[in-house]
């Protein structure tokens, strides 16, 4: 079976939070390099701290989402994974997963998780 380029939603959000941490540290490091210009150093430190605080909020949010996610065992790799939405990918092997019987056998697409798609399906 072909590997997807898609990763699970939980991993995407965790990666975003990690990028925020590194960006915050980078801004603060640049602030150290320009310490001769006080206002620029203070601005870069402030942006760095805000970025790190925002990453903390994102990590807390995804932790709360993760507790609501449906734990399943991937049929391909037999490892436990969590699923958000109607379709998702395995965190380990990127196998497309769905718990919706109507989507079994369909081509994997992220649009199945959108509200627009759900409204269109209810109209049919």
């Amino acid at each position: 079976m072909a590997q997807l380029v898609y990763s699970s939603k939980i991993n995407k959000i965790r990666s975003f939070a990690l990028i925020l941490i590194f960006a915050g540290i980078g801004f603060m490091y640049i602030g150290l390099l320009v310490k001769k210009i006080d206002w620029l150093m203070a601005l870069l430190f402030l942006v760095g701290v805000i970025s790190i605080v925002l990453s903390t909020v994102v990590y807390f949010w995804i932790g709360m989402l993760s507790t609501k996610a449906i734990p399943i065992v991937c049929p391909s790799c037999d490892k436990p994974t969590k699923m958000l939405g109607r379709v998702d990918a395995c965190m380990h092997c990127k196998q497309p997963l769905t718990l919706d019987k109507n989507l079994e056998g369909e081509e994997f697409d992220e649009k199945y998780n959108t509200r627009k798609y759900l409204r269109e399906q209810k109209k049919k």
Side-chain angles (χ1 to χ4, degrees):
M1 178 164 279
Q3 288 276 328
L4 291 175
V5 181
Y6 180 73
S7 68
S8 73
K9 288 178 224 42
I10 293 175
N11 284 346
K12 281 183 181 180
I13 298 170
R14 286 179 182 159
S15 296
F16 173 71
L18 185 63
I19 289 169
L20 281 176
I21 288 176
F22 284 124
I25 292 171
F27 279 120
M28 290 189 281
Y29 184 76
I30 293 169
L32 283 176
L33 296 178
V34 296
K35 61 184 168 188
K36 300 239 188 255
I37 308 169
D38 292 337
W39 65 270
L40 184 58
M41 181 184 76
L43 179 71
L44 288 170
F45 269 53
L46 183 64
V47 169
V49 168
I50 289 172
S51 176
I52 290 175
V53 168
L54 185 61
S55 77
T56 304
V57 170
V58 171
Y59 270 122
F60 180 77
W61 174 65
I62 193 58
M64 292 294 105
L65 260 179
S66 184
T67 61
K68 295 177 185 176
I70 300 167
I72 59 171
V73 176
C74 177
S76 293
C77 64
D78 291 328
K79 293 182 182 176
T81 187
K82 292 185 177 182
M83 195 170 139
L84 286 175
R86 296 177 75 196
V87 294
D88 205 351
C90 176
M91 291 180 181
H92 307 287
C93 68
K94 309 216 185 309
Q95 168 74 27
L97 303 170
T98 184
L99 294 176
D100 191 348
K101 299 290 183 194
N102 298 329
L103 297 177
E104 286 182 2
E106 296 284 328
E107 186 67 30
F108 186 82
D109 196 347
E110 292 181 57
K111 75 176 180 183
Y112 297 136
N113 290 327
T114 62
R115 289 185 179 150
K116 181 181 176 184
Y117 179 80
L118 289 174
R119 274 186 257 131
E120 290 173 0
Q121 292 303 309
K122 286 182 182 179
K123 288 180 184 178
K124 289 183 179 179

